[in-house]
Amino acid sequence: MNVALLSESPADEAALRELVTGVLRVRPRFIAPGFRARGWPNVAQVLPSVIRHLHFNTDADALVVAVDADDSVVHGAAHERPGYFHPHCRMCQLRAVHRQTTKKLPPARGRERLLRAVGVAVPAIEAWYLCGRDPAVTEAAWVEGNARGARPYSRAELKQRVYATDRPSLAHEIDCALREVERHRADSRRLEHEFPGFAALAADLRAARDRPPNFLPQPL
Ligand SMILES: [Zn+2]
């Protein structure tokens, strides 16, 4: 399976490679180099051109896109209703951009379309890193705290807990990220259970691996 990555930083990309490998239980071939966007809304803005490039010029089967939720609306079960779309939910937005972009593209390189695996880290990817180390950090804790008007932690606090500094160098960020995701690479179930925004990415990836007939019949 050939997987491309679109992320917000080189550290995120390093971590995502391990997380994707953990979900698939085998390391896919990653399309190099990974694609980078400068945070939100740049990710959604560059996504159509990244999809078109991968579709026509590479053998990518799936594109993994992962972003931080920051203060946006958290994707929930209500958003999964057919035809539903929440304009302030990044999961809904990224899925919609993929859907709208791919439906206009003709088949290319033996496949009908590039599949997508979208993840949203609530509120930031550092929360995923802390999963299994800090039981207070879960997507539900963030959603419930916001509903009560009392956030359980800030994004800055999460970064401090992961990096032990508020200004990590890129090398330090990558070291810390890789150290933490090692837990999830061996077994991603806890991360999927506590972070539905990661579970959605994992489900997309497995669906892409166990692909429905995305590939066109080969002529004999
Ligand atoms: Zn949503």
Side-chain angles (χ1 to χ4, degrees):
M1 182 168 170
N2 301 323
V3 174
L5 296 172
L6 170 59
S7 65
E8 298 185 86
S9 82
D12 290 8
E13 183 180 326
L16 282 168
R17 284 173 186 244
E18 301 309 316
L19 292 171
V20 166
T21 301
V23 168
L24 295 174
R25 311 305 307 152
V26 58
R27 199 169 186 84
R29 189 173 77 80
F30 289 104
I31 304 288
F35 296 89
R36 202 69 41 69
R38 295 178 307 278
W40 194 268
N42 189 236
V43 179
Q45 289 163 349
V46 303
L47 186 54
S49 56
V50 169
I51 289 171
R52 278 193 292 270
H53 167 71
L54 290 168
H55 181 72
F56 289 115
N57 303 322
T58 76
D59 293 322
D61 298 306
L63 169 63
V64 170
V65 189
V67 296
D68 289 350
D70 298 323
D71 296 318
S72 64
V73 170
V74 174
H75 189 77
H79 300 196
E80 295 284 349
R81 293 194 304 264
Y84 185 89
F85 164 84
H86 195 298
H88 301 298
C89 165
R90 293 180 182 179
M91 180 81 75
C92 285
Q93 288 174 278
L94 291 171
R95 286 178 176 180
V97 170
H98 171 268
R99 190 167 52 243
Q100 285 154 11
T101 306
T102 54
K103 79 178 181 195
K104 289 179 283 196
L105 300 178
R109 302 178 74 100
R111 55 164 154 47
E112 287 179 23
R113 67 194 170 93
L114 179 75
L115 302 172
R116 51 93 170 138
V118 181
V120 178
V122 177
I125 200 164
E126 285 78 13
W128 289 0
Y129 299 164
L130 289 166
C131 177
R133 187 180 122 189
D134 187 338
V137 179
T138 67
E139 194 169 312
W142 179 259
V143 171
E144 286 160 18
N146 272 290
R148 283 201 317 275
R151 287 188 171 168
Y153 35 76
S154 67
R155 296 195 297 280
E157 282 165 359
L158 296 179
K159 289 181 197 296
Q160 181 72 36
R161 287 184 213 175
V162 171
Y163 309 118
T165 166
D166 57 357
R167 288 177 182 270
S169 67
L170 179 59
H172 181 61
E173 222 177 293
I174 291 175
D175 283 349
C176 294
L178 291 178
R179 184 187 67 219
E180 300 298 345
V181 297
E182 186 62 30
R183 277 193 304 281
H184 310 310
R185 198 168 70 81
D187 184 348
S188 61
R189 282 174 296 184
R190 181 161 186 178
L191 184 58
E192 291 180 53
H193 183 254
E194 296 188 347
F195 289 88
F198 179 75
L201 188 159
D204 282 352
L205 269 176
R206 294 189 183 107
R209 179 192 60 195
D210 310 330
R211 180 185 306 105
N214 180 46
F215 275 69
L216 300 171
Q218 295 296 311
L220 293 172

